[in-house]
Amino acid sequence: MPLDTTTTTLSPLPTDIDFGVAFEQTKVRDKKYVVNQVTGDYLGVVGSNFNCASHTDFFQQVQSTMTETLSEQDLRNVSTSWRTSKNNAWVMMDSTLKDVESTITTSKHTTVINPRIIALHGVDGSCSNQVFFGQIDAFCTNGMIAGDYEQVRRKNTSGFNLNTFIDKLRDSRVEFYLEAEKIQKWADTTISVACVEDLINSIVKTPRKAERMVALCNSEISTRGSNVFSIYSAFTNYASYADERNGFSLRNTGNDTRSLSMWNREQEVSKWVSSKPFQALLAA
């Protein structure tokens, strides 16, 4: 069963994803099965040279590094969500540091954003083990990834580096406030209805999807005002929800990939924000 749970502190993994990993040879010489040692479930087929840490080992390393590197104040109030796909072969840890915040103000609305630390781990070769940084909007709980699309894409194809993670953690508070300054500039940048439609049609290539995104942008504008932050909020809404609230429901394929699909949407939003049309809007 897919898992979607939340804890309020740095904590051990939920039971369903706290398992050892074993391998069994297949009938194909250079392939082997990945097996959940607790349930006996077969989680995937990988190359014969594939090896990996368990979810427990990886996330314990991530969390202990957070504890050792971040300040006690930063970690005083942390909310952590666990999401899974592919029968618990893929896991995402999404931690929000709720005592670190910045206020974003538009002509019609004020909200608070908090920093996120997102860690990904797969035991079936489905993803590179990585940690990302971002923000979350306290008003609507829309999640955001920091950095442009090329950085995200490169990071998603490389391995986890503990020293790099420690360096990023040390810089994370400063980087968060720099990101907040950028978002505030977006909130201060006005945009017309015509520009919204032109922008969406230039970066969302499917007509039906573009039409729904324009409607979602207009809904955000009615709340937050006619500014670039409203457009970004519509994008992050699309990446955070998939139901009747925004008109972007996911098709149920029966393959337990919902959480992975939502993570892919976050990367898609990063691509939109890094696109030439969006960047040209900011430079205008």
Side-chain angles (χ1 to χ4, degrees), residues 25 60 81 255 265:
Q25 191 66 38
Q60 282 182 346
S81 296
N255 294 325
R265 283 192 181 186

Side-chain angles (χ1 to χ4, degrees), residues 141-167:
T141 66
N142 289 2
M144 319 167 201
I145 306 176
D148 64 38
Y149 175 67
E150 289 303 317
Q151 291 173 333
V152 170
R153 186 176 67 173
R154 284 197 299 271
K155 188 177 291 187
N156 236 5
T157 56
S158 61
F160 176 69
N161 184 300
L162 182 59
N163 290 330
T164 300
F165 178 43
I166 292 171
D167 290 341

Side-chain angles (χ1 to χ4, degrees), residues 111-220:
T111 191
V112 167
I113 62 172
N114 308 101
R116 297 168 74 198
I117 300 173
I118 308 117
L120 305 178
H121 187 253
V123 297
D124 63 344
S126 60
C127 76
S128 175
N129 306 322
Q130 283 296 338
V131 178
F132 296 81
F133 293 81
Q135 305 82 39
I136 193 162
D137 187 330
F139 171 70
C140 56
T141 66
N142 289 2
M144 319 167 201
I145 306 176
D148 64 38
Y149 175 67
E150 289 303 317
Q151 291 173 333
V152 170
R153 186 176 67 173
R154 284 197 299 271
K155 188 177 291 187
N156 236 5
T157 56
S158 61
F160 176 69
N161 184 300
L162 182 59
N163 290 330
T164 300
F165 178 43
I166 292 171
D167 290 341
K168 289 290 186 182
L169 279 173
R170 287 172 176 161
D171 296 338
S172 61
R173 180 181 274 266
V174 171
E175 292 295 328
F176 168 70
Y177 287 117
L178 289 174
E179 195 74 11
E181 288 180 11
K182 181 184 74 175
I183 294 172
Q184 182 59 57
K185 290 179 181 177
W186 294 358
D188 295 334
T189 303
T190 58
I191 184 172
S192 68
V193 173
C195 282
V196 171
E197 293 190 13
D198 289 344
L199 173 69
I200 299 306
N201 288 325
S202 66
I203 62 178
V204 181
K205 302 305 182 181
T206 307
R208 176 57 180 151
K209 185 174 181 178
E211 180 183 350
R212 284 180 287 171
M213 185 57 69
V214 169
L216 189 55
C217 287
N218 289 334
S219 175
E220 291 288 343

Side-chain angles (χ1 to χ4, degrees), residues 23 26 30-34 44-50 123-125:
F23 300 99
T26 71
D30 60 346
K31 301 292 182 183
K32 59 185 179 182
Y33 295 113
V34 182
V45 177
V46 296
S48 57
N49 294 324
F50 177 82
V123 297
D124 63 344

